[in-house]
Amino acid sequence: MRLHSLALRDFRGVKDRMVRFRALGTTVVVGDNEVGKSSLVEAFGLIFDLPDDSKSTRIRDIQPVGQDVGPQVTAELSLGGRELTYSKRWLKNRSTELTIVEPDGRRQSWTGREAHNEAERLFHENVDPVLWQTLMVSQGQSLVLPTPADAEPLITAVTAESGTPVDGASMPLVTAVEHEYLRYWTPRGKPTGDFARSAKAVAAAELSCKQAFQAMEEVQSDIRRAERLNLDLDDVTGRLTEHLTVLEALRERKQATDEILLRRDSVRSRAETARARLENHTRTRLERERLLDEVERFTKFEAELAGRRADAELVAKTAAETVQAAEAALAEVVELKDLRRTDVQAAERRVSDLMDRAELDRLVGQQTELVDVRARIAAAGTILDRIKVDDAIVAALEDARAAVVEARAALAAGVPEVTVRRLGAEPVELSGTGLEGNAPPELGFDESTEVLVSGELVVGVPGQVEVIVRAGGEAATLRARVDDAVRREKDLLKKAGVKDVAAARELLRKADTASAELNEARRTEKSLTAGGDPGERIAVLTARLGSVDEAEDVGGKQPAVEGVPGQMSLFAEFTEFASPHDTLFDDVTETGPAPADLPGAQRALDAARDGLAEAERLLKDAEFAVEQARKAADEDRSEAQNARARSELAGERLAAATEALESARSVLDDEAVTVAETEATAEVEAVLDELTAVQAQADEAGADRVADELTHALAVAKRLQDERDRLRDALRTTEGRLEQSGRDGLATRRDLAELELAAVRTEHDSLLRRAEAAQRVHETLSRHRAEAQTKYSEPLQSRIESLGRSVYGPSFRVWLDDDLAVAERELDGVRLPVEALSTGAQEQLAIITRLAISHLVSTGEGSVPVIFDDALGWSDKARLRDMGALLGRAGDHGQIIVLTCMPDRYEYVPKAMFITLDG
């Protein structure tokens, strides 16, 4: 099927629109949102699905809101070798019209319900619904990968290409094996039916038998457990009785040692109090000794700092006098440096004046040479402007001349050459068309001529004979080639303004000579103007030297430069604005005449600079001396201030120490402090002796260990009592289970379970043999069918990989599942399921798969267009370029229609036809 055009009228928001598509190639329909792009696909589906009298809500939805009009759709398409024009209008003025043009040219028409039925029949006969839905991607469905296993045209195409039947076995055999397999197994290979129930019965019987045996084993275990519990209970009871006797003895011992521990605690408390009193008296004595030491130390320190203070103040006064003397010497050196700088400036001005005069002489000569060079450049430029010939034109003329010679040679070899000679008295006349050579209209007696005939030659003897010679069909081609070659040669000669190739070569030689002369002159000009335009420098120097000459009013020296080639009277222009009162050496007292030559002026300048350097050296020494004097004065003054501050601080600290000592003596004098410490020491020694005696008595009685031994004994007694109670409870529980087991008849239950298990196992073994046989046959047949399926799916897989490698590169591979859908993709050695790919990669893979399907079925009668509505929304710039190229190549094999509001996505689709829909 190929869709040629769609026309919509009063369809949703579309008033009237006609869109034509390429029958082969890519058509991109561009339009903004809600302009009606998706309505084209919807309209094409409705025209075949619903008759014009349908009351479906789908028809009501396409009618424009608030308008009493009938939606109308007209489609032109090719279907099964026929050309169809199908038009339908719903709701208002309903109508259906179908016109079919058969392959032999016959035309048939239907209207009404007959037209709808006939169109529906042709559509279903020629269009596979699965293939149509697979290749039509609606808006928002671009990520869905197709599963085209049920598309009959695709299966036919891959079967024909692979040469392998789809089933790989006859369908009756497949059905019988499948039926027998499903009696015992589910499609996923799990037991089912009688086989599954038999397996469950065996499992239940085995469980019952196992439980019966376990119950008997538990009875035997309970008997052994009861015997062991009786023995353990007797042992624990005996050990508990012995331990309670030991515990009572420990309680009596603890009562006897508690009195010793109380007396020890009392003595220990008195010892701690006496020790604290002693530490207090010791701190008081140490503090008194510290105060006495500080008063003595600060007294000596104050006397020492007073002497240092007097020395520092004397040194600071002397340093201040030294600074004043150094500053006076510095002022004298600064005055000397100013005088030497004035001498240097005067000498520099004289040297600069003499250098400017020498530079001016050099520039005048350079300017004269530059005028000559520029004249040569102008002359060479004039010659080159008149010559229109270059290497390309000469080469073209030589090629054209060779083409003329070659064409004429081919004409001479391909047309007949006729020689005509007059032998008698009768005149011989020559005429015709397409004659090469000088053919006279008439031959004289015994005169002959040779003529190449590319058209027609008429040789006549009036009243007697006429001979016509015509060239063959190829002669006209050869003649046209000669005419074309000659015309091209004449056009090139006219363009070059020469009469022949030799003249063109001569002009080219002259152009080369002029070009060489021009390049040489330009290099000379560039060299002369490398430092700037000499004329500008001459004007500056002329103005400067003119100003100096007027200021000095020197007669008989070199006059101001005028009449320089290419210059205006810049000197006169400068002197017009110069002040008559300006002089160069107003501030300088001349010590002698200035040198008239440049070397003498340079020597005078060097001498002046040496004097200035000496003055600057003296200035640096004087500044350094002042700086050092100031620094020493600052340090001495700072040292005097520090000495004064330290002396005052020492006096303050001595006064504070004396005051603190007197305050402490007012509370307790020095002798009382020593007596109090001696008494506290004696008290501590007496209490410690008493504590030692009490501790020895406690150690002898073991008073510190009794409490721990009693706690441990109580814990052991508690553990033995808990163990005895636990053994009693376990013995009662075990004896109760044994009594209950005797009433349940467990031995009889075990025998019945063994008989039932043997019966169900016999039945299950029979079913198992039949099920395993059916499974082996099914697996063998499935394996052969899978091998056949691999062969017939290979064409589609190969086509997808071929298209995908143009986008992703040579490492691209895919794997298909049983429904021919892409299940996995490999790229650069990484294999991933489709669900793990990015959104953009899934969309690109879906598009590539549909293009591969379209390519496979494009040559068959069941082919359909590929329609993409709003696709490639998740692709980057590089992928858009590759996918665009792929869509362009796919359009060479089928019809592709793209609907989009983003035309930039498809700018890389070659040979695509773009249709823009207006709102």
Side-chain angles (χ1 to χ4, degrees), residues 456-475:
E456 181 180 83
L457 171 65
V458 180
V459 181
V461 178
Q464 295 186 16
V465 68
E466 182 180 71
V467 179
I468 299 175
V469 179
R470 293 188 179 89
E474 185 180 0

Side-chain angles (χ1 to χ4, degrees), residues 39 102 263 305 466 585 616 696 699 816 853 887:
S39 297
E102 298 289 344
R263 188 166 64 255
L305 290 179
E466 182 180 71
F585 306 104
E616 289 178 344
D699 292 341
L816 307 183
I853 295 171
L887 286 172

Side-chain angles (χ1 to χ4, degrees), residues 154-426:
L154 176 62
I155 299 304
T156 302
V158 297
T159 301
E161 187 163 334
S162 65
T164 303
V166 176
D167 291 332
S170 63
M171 290 310 296
L173 175 61
V174 172
T175 303
V177 172
E178 187 75 17
H179 178 72
E180 181 66 17
Y181 175 79
L182 293 177
R183 283 184 58 191
Y184 306 102
W185 308 95
T186 64
R188 294 185 177 273
K190 295 182 178 181
T192 187
D194 293 340
F195 181 51
R197 287 190 291 271
S198 175
K200 291 180 181 178
V202 171
E206 289 176 346
L207 179 61
S208 298
C209 188
K210 182 179 179 181
Q211 290 175 348
F213 274 91
Q214 287 179 347
M216 288 299 297
E217 290 177 358
E218 289 175 359
V219 170
Q220 298 296 329
S221 176
D222 286 342
I223 294 172
R224 292 190 297 272
R225 179 180 176 81
E227 293 175 352
R228 186 176 65 255
L229 288 174
N230 277 316
L231 294 175
D232 293 343
L233 181 59
D234 293 340
D235 179 63
V236 169
T237 301
R239 286 190 289 123
L240 178 58
T241 302
E242 294 175 359
H243 186 71
L244 290 176
T245 303
V246 176
L247 180 61
E248 187 61 28
L250 284 174
R251 283 196 180 100
E252 293 175 355
R253 183 181 169 191
K254 185 175 184 303
Q255 290 176 358
T257 59
D258 285 345
E259 183 180 353
I260 300 173
L261 292 177
L262 287 174
R263 188 166 64 255
R264 186 186 64 179
D265 292 340
S266 177
V267 174
R268 185 177 290 169
S269 176
R270 286 190 293 111
E272 291 176 355
T273 302
R275 189 181 291 110
R277 189 180 299 112
L278 174 60
E279 291 176 355
N280 187 29
H281 289 302
T282 301
R283 280 195 300 270
T284 302
R285 178 181 60 80
L286 293 176
E287 177 65 16
R288 184 64 52 85
E289 291 175 353
R290 186 187 64 79
L291 290 174
L292 290 171
D293 181 67
E294 281 189 353
V295 169
E296 182 181 0
R297 183 164 50 84
F298 287 150
T299 300
K300 294 180 181 179
F301 191 54
E302 183 187 23
E304 180 183 352
L305 290 179
R308 291 182 182 177
R309 173 180 177 181
D311 294 341
E313 289 176 349
L314 178 60
V315 171
K317 181 178 179 182
T318 303
E321 294 173 355
T322 303
V323 169
Q324 292 176 358
E327 289 177 346
L330 176 63
E332 295 177 0
V333 175
V334 169
E335 184 177 357
L336 176 63
K337 178 187 174 184
D338 292 339
L339 291 175
R340 294 293 180 264
R341 182 183 294 111
T342 302
D343 295 341
V344 170
Q345 291 173 350
E348 286 177 344
R349 283 194 293 269
R350 184 60 183 168
V351 171
S352 176
D353 175 38
L354 294 174
M355 291 179 67
D356 287 345
R357 291 184 185 278
E359 177 68 10
L360 181 61
D361 293 340
R362 185 185 66 80
L363 290 174
V364 170
Q366 184 175 329
Q367 178 69 9
T368 303
E369 184 181 357
L370 184 62
V371 171
D372 179 63
V373 168
R374 286 174 175 168
R376 288 165 54 198
I377 291 174
T382 302
I383 294 174
L384 290 176
D385 290 341
R386 287 199 301 265
I387 296 176
K388 301 179 180 179
V389 177
D390 56 14
D391 291 335
I393 292 179
V394 171
L397 282 171
E398 291 176 347
D399 293 343
R401 176 76 276 186
V404 170
V405 173
E406 181 181 354
R408 284 178 173 168
L411 180 64
V415 300
E417 182 180 6
V418 179
T419 302
V420 181
R421 184 177 181 183
R422 178 177 172 182
L423 300 177
E426 298 296 331

Side-chain angles (χ1 to χ4, degrees), residues 9-11 15 51-56 59-60 62-64 66-73 87-97:
R9 178 176 296 173
D10 298 325
F11 193 99
K15 182 62 179 176
D52 56 23
D53 57 353
S54 174
K55 304 299 181 184
S56 173
I59 300 299
R60 290 293 179 186
I62 65 174
Q63 185 181 32
Q67 299 183 34
D68 187 18
V69 294
Q72 182 174 346
V73 178
S87 178
K88 184 175 292 185
R89 183 167 59 247
W90 294 273
L91 301 177
K92 190 76 173 180
N93 299 325
R94 301 191 309 271
S95 66
T96 303
E97 298 178 0

